[in-house]
Amino acid sequence: MNQKPIIGITPDYSYETKKYMLHEDYVTAIEKAGGCPILLTPHQPLPDFFDGILLSGGGDIDPLLFGEEPLLQSGEISPLRDAYEIRLCHEALAKNLPILGICRGMQVMNIAAGGSIYQDIGVQAGTSLKHSQQAPRSYGTHSIIMEENTLLFKLWNKKCTVVNSLHHQAVRQLGEGFVASAHSADGLTEAIEHQNNPFALGVQWHPEAMQTEEQSLLFAAFLQAAAAYKQNRR
Ligand code: MN
């Protein structure tokens, strides 16, 4: 019998090809950390056997969902994916189910909690720091500074590290209950965490693609929270 914590992962969805898509790095990262990854699909309420939810990266989020008209720089959106991931966040946060949001996933968590994002950081945040790196996905290109007394700071026990960066949007107004746990040098939010949930963490970078020992600690902490949730569920 499978005793591993069961982690639901949300795939991307393309209206054009009618396909769900998920990079293998997400699956590998969960398996390496001791979890059993299962694909989450949009058309049902969350089954109760999950011990954690991973929101994967992907395209842009419909700006109407945070009360804005779309900018010219706004990219492709997937209404089906937006709707079910926001619903998943509500369900997960309501029952303290551990949740890890990566890149787009972090932005979805924030919007689900009533926050907003920059549709395009170049235009709206006026940053000149390069967040759309032209380097291998696994390679870190900009530094982040962790806030003390956050989950992230405790996890790594240091104030600064370097992460990869593959985004043109970012968290703007924080959602209810969330605090920023890391910033880039231009002041943009690079990680968020929920104050009441034992593990509701969003990161703007792609830890699954970096595949470093440091980033694997993040998945280990997620799985530890999932194992604790599984234990309490019995
Ligand atoms: Mn970045």
Side-chain angles (χ1 to χ4, degrees):
M1 200 177 141
N2 175 39
Q3 296 297 331
K4 292 178 178 175
I6 295 172
I7 306 298
I9 311 182
T10 60
D12 204 354
Y13 177 72
S14 164
Y15 280 82
E16 201 182 318
T17 60
K18 308 280 179 214
K19 281 180 181 170
Y20 294 110
M21 294 162 297
L22 185 68
H23 197 293
E24 67 173 352
D25 284 351
Y26 295 105
V27 175
T28 306
I30 293 301
E31 282 182 339
K32 272 189 177 168
C36 173
I38 291 185
L39 195 74
L40 277 170
T41 52
H43 301 289
Q44 50 184 348
L46 185 64
D48 60 10
F49 57 78
F50 285 102
D51 303 308
I53 299 297
L54 194 167
L55 302 175
S56 67
D60 289 0
I61 301 158
D62 184 353
L64 291 176
L65 293 172
F66 48 93
E68 289 183 15
E69 296 296 323
L71 292 184
L72 271 177
Q73 289 76 11
S74 185
E76 189 177 350
I77 59 170
S78 178
L80 178 76
R81 187 174 185 195
D82 288 347
Y84 100 94
E85 285 192 330
I86 285 173
R87 179 171 49 72
L88 274 179
C89 285
H90 289 156
E91 284 186 71
L93 288 174
K95 55 184 190 181
N96 278 343
L97 181 66
I99 180 164
L100 174 62
I102 293 179
C103 200
R104 170 201 155 89
M106 153 168 157
Q107 297 166 7
V108 170
M109 284 165 72
N110 192 57
I111 289 165
S116 66
I117 60 169
Y118 293 108
Q119 288 186 50
D120 185 85
I121 52 179
V123 170
Q124 291 183 311
T127 181
S128 53
L129 201 154
K130 194 171 178 71
H131 287 278
S132 300
Q133 73 183 42
Q134 290 170 291
R137 280 175 74 86
S138 60
Y139 189 74
T141 57
H142 74 62
S143 49
I144 56 167
I145 297 142
M146 265 75 74
E147 300 297 329
E148 281 178 43
N149 296 318
T150 58
L151 204 142
L152 207 54
F153 181 81
K154 285 173 201 153
L155 185 68
W156 286 336
N157 196 28
K158 61 179 182 176
K159 226 173 146 49
C160 187
T161 193
V162 173
V163 295
N164 58 6
S165 195
L166 301 136
H167 60 109
H168 80 108
Q169 304 193 311
V171 162
R172 191 173 194 168
Q173 181 93 41
L174 283 166
E176 206 190 320
F178 279 99
V179 293
S181 30
H183 294 92
S184 41
D186 56 359
L188 282 185
T189 302
E190 284 275 338
I192 60 171
E193 59 191 65
H194 201 276
Q195 286 169 299
N196 304 328
N197 190 304
F199 195 102
L201 176 70
V203 295
Q204 187 56 70
W205 64 94
H206 282 271
E208 83 290 355
M210 291 184 75
Q211 299 175 1
T212 57
E213 207 160 301
E214 180 173 83
Q215 296 298 330
S216 74
L217 287 177
L218 208 150
F219 289 101
F222 177 43
L223 261 296
Q224 204 177 355
Y229 183 88
K230 185 186 177 80
Q231 200 67 33
N232 289 335
R233 198 155 50 78
R234 285 220 181 109

